[in-house]
Amino acid sequence: MTKRFMVTTPIYYVNDKPHIGQAYCTIAADVLARFHRAAGEETFFLTGTDEHGSKTEETAKRLGKTPQELCDMNAHYFKETWKSLNISYDYFIRTTDARHQKTVEKVLSILYRATTKRGEKVIYPGEYSGLYCVGCEKFITDKELVNGLCPDHLEKPRRVTEKNYFFRLTSYLKQIEELILTDKLKISPEERKKETLGLFKQGLDDFSISREKVSWGIPLPFDPTQNAYVWVDALFNYISAIGYGDDLNQFNKWWNGAEVVHLIGKDILKFHAVFWPAMLLALGERHPDQIFLHGFFTVDGQKMSKTLGNIVDPEYLVDQYGADATRYLLLTQFPFGQDGDIQVERLVEKYNSDLANDLGNLVSRTLKMVESFCGGQISGPSTYERSDEELKKEATECAERVWRFIQEINLNQAIDQIMKLVRSTNKYIENQAPWVLAKQNKKERLKTVLYVSCETLRIISALFYPVLPQKCKRIRQLLGLPDDELSPTLDKAKKWGGLKPGTKVGTLESLFPRMEKKVQTKRVKEAIVEQKSEMEISFEEFSKIDLRVAEVKEAEKVKGADKLLKLKIDLGAEQREIVAGIAGQYSPEEMVGKRIVVVTNLKPAKIRGIESKGMLLAAKDGKTLSLVCVDKDVKGGSEVS
Ligand code: MSP
């Protein structure tokens, strides 16, 4: 029987747009899902948004929106960002979906009727008084506070006293501890397992599952004056998405018929490793197989936070590096499962060394040599020498090693193995020097060396496909592989000889064009600034911004950048050039003659080698971008105030 694999990410809060922390976990889950699919397993990849609770309610109020409007807007942003990053989820759950809400009501009714082995009610009413942090959506103890503030959100928690319903967690603790100790419920990495077991030693209490004063939530079916606690509502997404409430076959297929792995950040360990299995036990359902906790990263040594204004928008990284490189760069900064730091300047170095140099050059020079020395056609190899056999062995054995690391969720080692093969192939080409063989007219040897290089490249593109899906698909097209092999299986990466002699190959300019370091740094800093601008600024600060009407005189695409247009604008007293990321929505022809609004007193920025002296204003709704233009005939240079 085909093995089944189900992987989930946390469902993310919709009080803001996605940030790179959430993108990190989602990319990792996507890479896992794609590897399991490539290994021939039937795979279900679940992600989504967590939409109820006071956090959403309060943010909506601040923005003058209804909670549902805020949820719709930000759920849309999450979907768009995942699309930009090529996230191949099978289902996107939203906790405001009617389907999910019905399931939560059903689950709560079952739990309300249920009793423990000792005959006590699983859910019982009580009174709760404690400190509540809205940022965490959880009660917090005095001990956890730092200078009276929640250490994660740097906010003062509020005192809440209310009637709540409680879940009898204490009745399930022994059983869960045993499941974790015996690895039936595997908590990885090992240190997180120890941390979880430590929680049992410290002692855990029953927890409250409802809120009286939070109105944005799912009403308890047995007491509509209360709403379900957002965490209880959220955890059940893992089973509502696969039909617990309405499709038993599908539910059995995945929950009971697959290896179930939850991928989460270490911040939400207790909810997943203790509360969630306990609620499942009370419901009479099985626990997941594994909970893998990845670490947290800081950005340039600082914790990401709105207050510091250093939250990076993943869309900016995609604009700059492309989807594949963003996926690669985020995953390779530090080992998955450990904490780390993302140094924005180092991203460019890594991009240039691994992707532009090692992989990009391998692809372009291999294809170019086939073009120049063999008329663009892959020729059959003749006798293999020792060096050929060695590379062949390394290539065909690589898939097994990569797959082993993937099964251990050791993403960095898996990627390292593939990069090692890339470097060995480059070394092989240097040692064999096909250009010398061509000069010496050693035709047979030349054909063999180029065959071995192309065939290894085919294997590399199959192994790297889950991490770099777009680029690997392109490599495979260029290698002349048929359409049904463009999304490859791991099996095909184990067998030598996939490339048929006689196949025509293509050539390409550059798979990953080299990047200039300065430009990169600037751009990522801009990403950070944009988030910062969501904070309040004073009137004085606003009046420092010089906004002017500008008439677009000329427009052209920027070479090698899909999304950029270079515009020559007329500001009355002077003409300037600016570069704008609008080519996805506006053609150069459409732009000429438009009277747009431009910020003119910014420091010039070099973008793709062009000095851009200003930024235009545009409205963005998901992927839709609309320019801010003036609607009466005012001169270029007129002030906008
Ligand atoms: N809604 C809850 C989860 C409910 S799951 C049933 C939640 N949402 S969240 O939007 O705050 O997302 C938390 C997750 O984002 C973390 O578990 C982690 O995967 C990811 N990260 C957030 N910041 C991060 C870093 N700085 N570094 C790495 N991952 C980060 O909690």
Side-chain angles (χ1 to χ4, degrees):
M1 203 183 82
T2 322
K3 214 190 138 214
R4 293 200 190 105
F5 179 72
M6 174 169 166
V7 62
T8 68
T9 70
I11 50 172
Y12 303 111
Y13 288 129
V14 283
N15 59 315
D16 217 330
K17 289 194 267 181
H19 60 68
I20 55 169
Q22 295 150 333
Y24 177 68
C25 186
T26 312
I27 293 169
D30 187 59
V31 169
L32 278 184
R34 285 176 184 270
F35 264 114
H36 281 263
R37 286 189 203 115
E41 294 182 7
E42 204 180 347
T43 301
F44 193 89
F45 170 18
L46 173 65
T47 189
T49 40
D50 187 354
E51 305 191 357
H52 290 125
S54 15
K55 217 199 245 297
T56 309
E57 204 174 332
E58 288 176 14
T59 311
K61 203 160 156 200
R62 197 158 37 80
L63 298 177
K65 291 185 184 292
T66 65
Q68 192 63 57
E69 279 168 354
L70 177 72
C71 294
D72 292 347
M73 179 179 90
N74 282 334
H76 173 74
Y77 280 132
F78 272 93
K79 284 188 182 168
E80 288 297 317
T81 302
W82 299 161
K83 206 195 275 170
S84 314
L85 280 164
N86 245 306
I87 303 297
S88 62
Y89 58 78
D90 293 290
Y91 193 87
F92 188 101
I93 185 145
R94 295 183 54 185
T95 53
T96 55
D97 288 344
R99 183 187 192 203
H100 172 78
Q101 306 205 41
K102 267 201 195 137
T103 302
V104 172
E105 281 164 18
K106 177 173 169 171
V107 162
L108 290 172
S109 302
I110 298 175
L111 290 179
Y112 190 63
R113 288 196 302 268
T115 49
T116 65
K117 275 189 192 143
R118 287 205 307 229
E120 296 157 320
K121 278 187 80 58
V122 168
I123 288 179
Y124 63 93
E127 183 163 286
Y128 194 90
S129 175
L131 295 172
Y132 193 80
C133 170
V134 175
C136 302
E137 289 283 15
K138 71 174 186 191
F139 284 103
I140 181 166
T141 61
D142 276 323
K143 265 191 279 168
E144 290 171 287
L145 302 182
V146 178
N147 300 327
L149 305 178
C150 157
D152 283 340
H153 295 91
L154 304 177
E155 270 170 32
K156 204 170 162 196
R158 57 183 72 161
R159 181 151 296 277
V160 174
T161 305
E162 56 179 44
K163 179 188 155 196
N164 283 167
Y165 287 88
F166 284 79
F167 176 83
R168 209 175 293 277
L169 177 70
T170 39
S171 292
Y172 301 95
L173 290 176
K174 267 256 124 341
Q175 222 176 326
I176 300 169
E177 193 177 6
E178 188 60 23
L179 286 171
I180 296 174
L181 271 169
T182 53
D183 283 339
K184 284 189 181 131
L185 168 54
K186 193 167 174 209
I187 312 283
S188 341
E190 193 60 28
E191 54 175 307
R192 298 287 164 222
K193 174 175 167 182
K194 283 199 197 118
E195 186 182 331
T196 318
L197 292 170
L199 293 175
F200 291 92
K201 288 215 177 69
Q202 277 170 26
L204 288 152
D205 291 328
D206 294 347
F207 63 90
S208 112
I209 59 144
S210 64
R211 293 287 177 271
E212 198 175 30
K213 296 189 182 105
V214 178
S215 54
W216 185 240
I218 304 176
L220 296 187
F222 46 86
D223 182 352
T225 65
Q226 304 248 333
N227 279 334
Y229 172 36
V230 61
W231 263 102
V232 171
D233 165 357
L235 285 163
F236 284 106
N237 92 86
Y238 298 130
I239 59 173
S240 71
I242 47 169
Y244 178 82
D246 56 13
D247 187 345
L248 209 59
N249 280 341
Q250 201 207 13
F251 174 71
N252 280 329
K253 173 175 173 183
W254 293 109
W255 197 256
N256 296 318
E259 179 193 349
V260 177
V261 177
H262 295 314
L263 218 58
I264 58 168
K266 62 172 190 175
D267 53 330
I268 49 181
L269 178 138
K270 188 158 88 179
F271 292 104
H272 282 82
V274 186
F275 292 8
W276 176 226
M279 290 195 292
L280 284 164
L281 284 176
L283 203 59
E285 297 299 340
R286 86 175 193 106
H287 54 82
D289 296 285
Q290 185 175 182
I291 300 170
F292 189 100
L293 296 107
H294 65 78
F296 255 51
F297 58 78
T298 45
V299 171
D300 288 333
Q302 280 187 313
K303 193 174 161 173
M304 271 198 291
S305 85
K306 270 200 175 174
T307 330
L308 290 173
N310 64 345
I311 296 176
V312 180
D313 178 348
E315 293 272 10
Y316 274 88
L317 295 183
V318 175
D319 275 355
Q320 200 53 40
Y321 297 98
D324 283 3
T326 302
R327 294 161 64 96
Y328 180 86
L329 292 173
L330 284 182
L331 288 183
T332 52
Q333 297 305 301
F334 57 92
F336 196 66
Q338 290 176 27
D339 288 341
D341 183 42
I342 294 198
Q343 289 179 4
V344 168
E345 293 213 16
R346 300 275 303 270
L347 293 180
V348 197
E349 285 164 28
K350 184 91 178 150
Y351 171 93
N352 280 338
S353 73
D354 292 11
L355 299 176
N357 284 0
D358 293 342
L359 180 60
N361 278 348
L362 171 65
V363 178
S364 55
R365 70 172 169 175
T366 307
L367 295 173
K368 259 187 215 135
M369 286 190 293
V370 178
E371 174 74 28
S372 341
F373 305 141
C374 299
Q377 203 164 338
I378 294 170
S379 308
S382 45
T383 332
Y384 280 179
E385 292 183 359
R386 200 162 131 202
S387 55
D388 310 325
E389 291 293 356
E390 274 171 5
L391 187 63
K392 175 179 164 188
K393 185 167 183 288
E394 187 181 339
T396 49
E397 286 176 0
C398 195
E400 214 42 74
R401 278 199 296 273
V402 170
W403 179 232
R404 224 174 317 123
F405 284 124
I406 289 297
Q407 283 172 305
E408 292 167 11
I409 318 194
N410 190 337
L411 300 181
N412 299 78
Q413 284 287 354
I415 293 174
D416 274 357
Q417 294 301 317
I418 314 170
M419 266 330 273
K420 256 189 210 153
L421 182 59
V422 169
R423 290 181 186 124
S424 301
T425 317
N426 274 325
K427 212 182 257 161
Y428 167 86
I429 294 177
E430 263 132 52
N431 291 341
Q432 299 308 313
W435 46 93
V436 177
L437 297 173
K439 247 192 214 147
Q440 296 169 339
N441 211 16
K442 291 187 175 159
K443 281 202 183 126
E444 286 313 301
R445 183 69 199 135
L446 178 64
K447 281 183 196 167
T448 306
V449 170
L450 289 183
Y451 184 84
V452 170
S453 310
C454 288
E455 179 58 9
T456 311
L457 190 55
R458 179 191 66 81
I459 291 179
I460 290 168
S461 68
L463 295 177
F464 246 149
Y465 181 80
V467 185
L468 309 168
Q470 280 169 346
K471 300 289 181 185
C472 288
K473 191 171 166 194
R474 181 82 189 115
I475 300 174
R476 296 176 75 79
Q477 275 167 340
L478 291 165
L479 284 172
L481 288 160
D483 283 355
D484 61 344
E485 280 201 40
L486 296 183
S487 357
T489 60
L490 284 185
D491 245 4
K492 292 250 161 93
K494 291 180 192 161
K495 288 184 204 115
W496 190 256
L499 284 178
K500 300 284 163 276
T503 309
K504 273 250 166 245
V505 304
T507 51
L508 85 170
E509 333 61 70
S510 187
L511 195 64
F512 295 101
R514 262 192 86 79
M515 295 214 167
E516 209 187 306
K517 196 169 165 183
K518 269 201 215 128
V519 176
Q520 292 307 301
T521 315
K522 172 82 186 139
R523 287 286 294 162
V524 180
K525 291 263 157 66
E526 273 168 24
I528 293 170
V529 171
E530 198 219 23
Q531 295 270 350
K532 202 173 185 170
S533 69
E534 284 175 9
M535 296 192 304
E536 285 172 11
I537 59 167
S538 66
F539 179 73
E540 285 72 33
E541 281 171 304
F542 176 71
S543 54
K544 284 185 199 153
I545 302 169
D546 188 34
L547 293 169
R548 301 271 163 179
V549 174
E551 191 182 337
V552 181
K553 292 289 184 194
E554 291 168 25
E556 62 181 271
K557 287 205 162 183
V558 175
K559 265 199 204 110
D562 296 348
K563 298 199 175 154
L564 300 180
L565 285 188
K566 182 169 91 175
L567 309 176
K568 186 173 265 174
I569 54 168
D570 185 1
L571 287 164
E574 56 166 325
Q575 293 213 338
R576 289 189 187 184
E577 265 185 2
I578 63 169
V579 176
I582 53 171
Q585 309 268 336
Y586 291 90
S587 68
E589 299 74 44
E590 256 177 287
M591 287 303 298
V592 176
K594 273 201 194 309
R595 278 192 304 275
I596 57 175
V597 176
V598 175
V599 188
T600 59
N601 58 340
L602 293 171
K603 240 198 220 156
K606 258 221 164 124
I607 301 174
R608 300 266 171 172
I610 306 165
E611 184 156 86
S612 177
K613 290 187 174 166
M615 272 176 126
L616 54 73
L617 299 191
K620 203 173 174 197
D621 178 11
K623 283 264 133 159
T624 310
L625 206 136
S626 175
L627 288 171
V628 176
C629 296
V630 288
D631 61 1
K632 285 213 177 82
D633 202 6
V634 288
K635 279 201 301 286
S638 304
E639 195 182 339
V640 180
S641 57

